[in-house]
Amino acid sequence: MADRTLDVICICGSLRKGSYNRMVMNALPGLAPAGMSPMEAPPFSEFPLYNADVQETSGFPPAVLKLADAVRAADGVIFNSPEYNFSIPGGLKNAIDWVSRVPNQPFAGKPVALQSAANGALGGGRMQYDLRRAMIFLDALTLNKPEIFIGNCSTRIDAKTGEITDQQTVGFIRQQLAAFAKFVVQHGPRS
Ligand SMILES: Cc1cc2nc3c(=O)[nH]c(=O)nc-3n(C[C@H](O)[C@H](O)[C@H](O)COP(=O)(O)O)c2cc1C
């Protein structure tokens, strides 16, 4: 483990208040190993649709720079995202597209872990492979295993309390976070 706390930011791909993925994200501090501190990333909900003309005429919106800075400053990034139509939710993809155009591209060399909760049986697996592909283009270092796919999520997470009630899922998340902490240290946390 590193000789200081690993700061990991979590980007939630769902904007809705009652998001299961947000509930998973909120549970992470309680499931992370000692020495890892997961916290929510600055929001992307106000990002305009990516348009290179806007970038060239007005520059990057402040909210984009804020998220880009947070990604750059973090030791690692965890995505907590649903799957929309077998792929990455549009809002999240738009956020990644904006951040990817910021100079000194923030995802380059950044340790990344993926988690998804979805109502389908595959738990967002198809979204994860698309997100993995985007991260390859950006030269991020995405953790291979353990993978977290929370299928039929409404049966594993209590929508009222936000608690992950399925203990097998809790165990898998703990294992992934422990592996991610080692992965971050191995691949070089920010100095
Ligand atoms: C536009 C849209 C597309 C969806 N597509 C999928 C899908 O491809 N696979 C799937 O398992 N669930 C799909 N769902 C259902 C989501 O898994 C479910 O709404 C889930 O709760 C969304 O995550 P959230 O609770 O974090 O917002 C879709 C939902 C929406 C709104």
Side-chain angles (χ1 to χ4, degrees):
M1 191 57 73
D3 51 9
R4 60 168 179 78
T5 301
L6 299 175
D7 293 325
V8 169
I9 61 166
C10 306
I11 301 177
C12 182
S14 174
L15 298 177
R16 73 185 190 96
K17 279 199 210 96
S19 161
Y20 287 108
N21 285 280
R22 177 166 294 279
M23 290 172 192
V24 173
M25 181 185 81
N26 289 340
L28 297 186
L31 303 178
M36 174 187 270
S37 167
M39 70 203 93
E40 185 171 359
F44 62 79
S45 51
E46 304 300 324
F47 286 18
L49 286 179
Y50 180 78
N51 181 336
D53 294 341
V54 173
Q55 181 192 326
E56 274 163 33
T57 54
S58 319
F60 290 97
V64 170
L65 294 175
K66 199 167 174 188
L67 179 56
D69 286 346
V71 170
R72 207 177 287 112
D75 293 303
V77 175
I78 297 175
F79 285 99
N80 293 95
S81 181
E83 172 176 284
Y84 280 179
N85 300 314
F86 285 10
S87 191
I88 305 170
L92 175 61
K93 182 62 166 53
N94 184 59
I96 293 169
D97 292 344
W98 267 114
V99 168
S100 73
R101 306 314 290 178
V102 175
N104 185 17
Q105 194 268 103
F107 284 106
K110 190 64 58 180
V112 165
L114 310 180
Q115 301 184 351
S116 56
N119 263 329
L122 296 189
R126 290 159 293 219
M127 179 284 301
Q128 285 201 23
Y129 290 120
D130 284 355
L131 188 47
R132 237 173 231 285
R133 211 151 40 113
M135 289 297 117
I136 289 170
F137 182 71
L138 297 179
D139 290 325
L141 304 173
T142 305
L143 179 74
N144 288 334
K145 292 193 282 286
E147 297 172 296
I148 302 293
F149 307 117
I150 308 174
N152 303 313
C153 62
S154 58
T155 67
R156 300 179 202 276
I157 301 166
D158 185 328
K160 288 206 182 87
T161 63
E163 187 194 348
I164 304 170
T165 49
D166 179 52
Q167 291 313 305
Q168 198 178 30
T169 299
V170 169
F172 285 146
I173 295 173
R174 280 189 198 280
Q175 283 174 31
Q176 193 207 47
L177 294 177
F180 191 49
K182 283 192 192 143
F183 184 78
V184 170
V185 171
Q186 196 182 345
H187 291 284
R190 69 182 160 76
S191 49

